[in-house]
Amino acid sequence: MAQQATPVRSARLGRALGPEPTAVSGVVLLLPGGDETSGRRPSPMWATASVRALGRRLTRAGQTQGLAAHVVHYRFRGWNGSEAHLAGDASWAADEVVRRYGDVPVCLAGVDMGGRAALRAAGHTAVNSVLALAPWLPEEDVAAPPEPVKQLTGRRVLIVHGTNDERTDPELSFRLAARAKKSNRDVCRFEVHSDGHGLHQHRTEVHALAEDFVMGALFGRGLSRPLEDALAAPPPLGLRMPLASGFGKALRH
């Protein structure tokens, strides 16, 4: 009996969140979390829950500027070592944006393992900015090369991490940011004191910061003072910037 060929899996873009603008002038690709190793396909609900609320907020904020936000649906649930499947899917999604919308700036916005994918895929020519929330990063190993940062050069980068994160080590994202800052001044990192991996305790402030960053990166909107200060400050100050409680309430509209 002939063996049936295994179908080749492909990544895909979810439908644009909210009403898609008639003329798209900037795109956010939302990269959900994942596992370190898994050959399973992510379930749609599991995959999108972590990024949908952020995507909806960004869509509302950027509607008049022509922002489109899409969730990236991965081929596999796992990063899977040197295969780096999630980063490959993020790069494919940026290609798809160019195919659909032409030459528009792209922000990769990822959480957990999606944050690692966003950072790793930042070298794509369409990408001008990266937002990584509680990014999962590998433990540093003297026998293995460190997580690359060269691809972040020329991109504006914001990392946000809770100080009580027990799933992804905040110190690892600080070290990556410090290495990236050496060749790219447009890198900053905010610490959310007492918050955990999901950043639920201060979600409103985190999303306000994300909105401020993305609108500035994609459309040139003026940044809030805390973001400006974080980008301008020398390390370690701009990489351990505390996210103030209530951030966003007093921001200009």
Side-chain angles (χ1 to χ4, degrees), residues 1-241:
M1 185 174 174
Q3 189 174 1
Q4 201 168 17
T6 305
V8 177
R9 290 187 188 177
S10 57
R12 65 181 181 86
L13 284 191
R15 292 173 60 184
L17 297 177
E20 191 170 343
T22 51
V24 172
S25 53
V27 174
V28 174
L29 290 174
L30 299 155
L31 302 164
D35 293 336
E36 192 171 351
T37 306
S38 175
R40 294 170 56 199
R41 183 185 283 278
S43 65
M45 289 302 293
W46 174 88
T48 62
S50 61
V51 292
R52 275 194 169 275
L54 173 62
R56 284 193 293 268
R57 174 161 185 152
L58 294 176
T59 300
R60 286 194 299 271
Q63 203 166 3
T64 56
Q65 276 85 16
L67 177 70
H70 294 271
V71 176
V72 178
H73 294 270
Y74 305 130
R75 292 168 292 167
F76 303 98
R77 191 165 172 162
W79 180 272
N80 301 325
S82 61
E83 295 287 342
H85 281 130
L86 306 192
D89 291 347
S91 292
W92 169 86
D95 280 339
E96 181 64 9
V97 165
V98 173
R99 189 187 71 79
R100 290 190 192 185
Y101 301 121
D103 184 19
V104 298
V106 174
C107 175
L108 298 178
V111 302
D112 184 74
M113 195 68 78
R116 185 187 185 188
L119 292 162
R120 181 71 75 89
H124 192 285
T125 54
V127 173
N128 83 342
S129 50
V130 175
L131 168 65
L133 303 180
W136 187 100
L137 294 167
E139 291 289 338
E140 293 171 353
D141 182 350
V142 292
E147 193 72 4
V149 295
K150 188 178 179 182
Q151 74 282 0
L152 297 172
T153 303
R155 278 67 178 159
R156 190 174 280 184
V157 181
L158 168 62
I159 297 172
V160 185
H161 221 138
T163 57
N164 289 1
D165 193 329
E166 294 181 354
R167 172 172 158 80
T168 63
D169 187 350
E171 192 60 26
L172 293 176
S173 75
F174 169 76
R175 291 178 199 164
L176 180 135
R179 287 193 292 116
K181 187 81 172 178
K182 289 177 181 177
S183 58
N184 179 10
R185 65 181 301 275
D186 283 335
V187 174
C188 65
R189 178 179 170 277
F190 278 72
E191 294 184 336
V192 190
H193 288 290
S194 77
D195 218 339
H197 181 62
L199 297 168
H200 298 307
Q201 191 176 333
H202 298 287
R203 189 171 85 160
T204 301
E205 288 91 340
V206 170
H207 284 188
L209 181 68
E211 176 190 324
D212 195 49
F213 172 79
V214 172
M215 294 304 114
L218 292 182
F219 306 116
R221 192 185 290 181
L223 299 176
S224 63
R225 183 64 183 272
L227 258 175
E228 282 188 344
D229 289 348
L231 287 166
L237 295 177
L239 305 180
R240 293 198 186 277
M241 189 68 75

